[in-house]
Amino acid sequence: MRILRVVALTALAVFVVIQFVPYGWWHENPPVERDTPWPTARAAEIARVSCYDCHSNESEWPVYSYVAPMSWLVHKDVAEGRGKLNFSEWPLNDKELDKAVDVVEGGGMPPGSYTFIHRDAKLTDDEARVLIDALESLGGSADEDHSGPGR
C-alpha cells in the first residue's frame, strides 16, 4: 500500500510540474488571410467540422488543450496540420490539393486520434466523396489566383 501511495504522489507531482513547461498552452489563431472558396455549402460544412481544427487559422481550443501533456500533442498536431495544408491561406497549390484528396481517399484524414474525441469529425463515405469532389474542383481555381502571400 505504501508503494502505491508513493507512486501516486510521484505521478501527481510530475503532472503538476509539467504544467509549467512553457509549450503548448499558449494558443493563438493567426488571422484568416483568405478562406478557401468551397464550391458548396455542404463541402464547407464538412471541411469545417472535420478539417479546420488542424488545417486552418480557425482552430477551436478545447479545455484539454490547455493541460499538459495533451496541450503538447494538440499544439504539435495543429502546427503540423497548418504547415501541410491551411484552408485559411487561399490559394492552395494543386500539389497540396492533390495530396489532400489522396489522404482523404485513403482514409488517413481525419486521423483516428482526432475522431476518437471528436466523433462528429469522422467522415462517412458520402461526406468523404463530397469533400474529395470539392477539393478536386478547387484545383483549377487555385491556378487562377496567386495573390496570396508568398505565392
Side-chain angles (χ1 to χ4, degrees), residues 72-83:
W72 305 342
L73 298 170
V74 172
H75 187 272
K76 180 180 125 334
D77 287 348
V78 171
E80 287 178 2
R82 287 177 180 166

Side-chain angles (χ1 to χ4, degrees), residues 83-135:
K84 291 180 181 175
L85 176 74
N86 191 333
F87 291 118
S88 296
E89 297 179 356
W90 184 259
L92 304 173
N93 66 48
D94 285 343
K95 185 178 178 183
E96 291 171 309
L97 293 169
D98 290 344
K99 178 68 175 169
V101 166
D102 291 344
V103 173
V104 173
E105 278 181 335
M109 283 290 156
S113 59
Y114 183 76
T115 59
F116 180 76
I117 296 170
H118 303 272
R119 300 272 186 207
D120 58 335
K122 187 170 177 71
L123 295 172
T124 65
D125 291 341
D126 179 56
E127 290 169 334
R129 185 78 261 152
V130 169
L131 188 57
I132 290 165
D133 290 346
L135 291 166

Side-chain angles (χ1 to χ4, degrees), residues 14-25:
V14 168
F15 179 77
V16 169
V17 168
I18 66 173
Q19 300 313 308
F20 295 99
V21 173
Y23 175 79
W25 43 264

Side-chain angles (χ1 to χ4, degrees), residues 19-101:
Q19 300 313 308
F20 295 99
V21 173
Y23 175 79
W25 43 264
W26 179 255
H27 305 120
E28 189 171 63
N29 285 331
V32 174
E33 294 177 20
R34 186 166 171 214
D35 194 28
T36 297
W38 294 100
T40 66
R42 175 122 167 91
E45 176 189 356
I46 292 167
R48 286 188 176 282
V49 170
S50 298
C51 310
Y52 270 49
D53 272 350
C54 293
H55 295 284
S56 80
N57 294 345
E58 300 178 54
S59 302
E60 293 185 18
W61 302 99
V63 172
Y64 63 81
S65 71
Y66 293 91
V67 180
M70 282 298 290
S71 61
W72 305 342
L73 298 170
V74 172
H75 187 272
K76 180 180 125 334
D77 287 348
V78 171
E80 287 178 2
R82 287 177 180 166
K84 291 180 181 175
L85 176 74
N86 191 333
F87 291 118
S88 296
E89 297 179 356
W90 184 259
L92 304 173
N93 66 48
D94 285 343
K95 185 178 178 183
E96 291 171 309
L97 293 169
D98 290 344
K99 178 68 175 169
V101 166

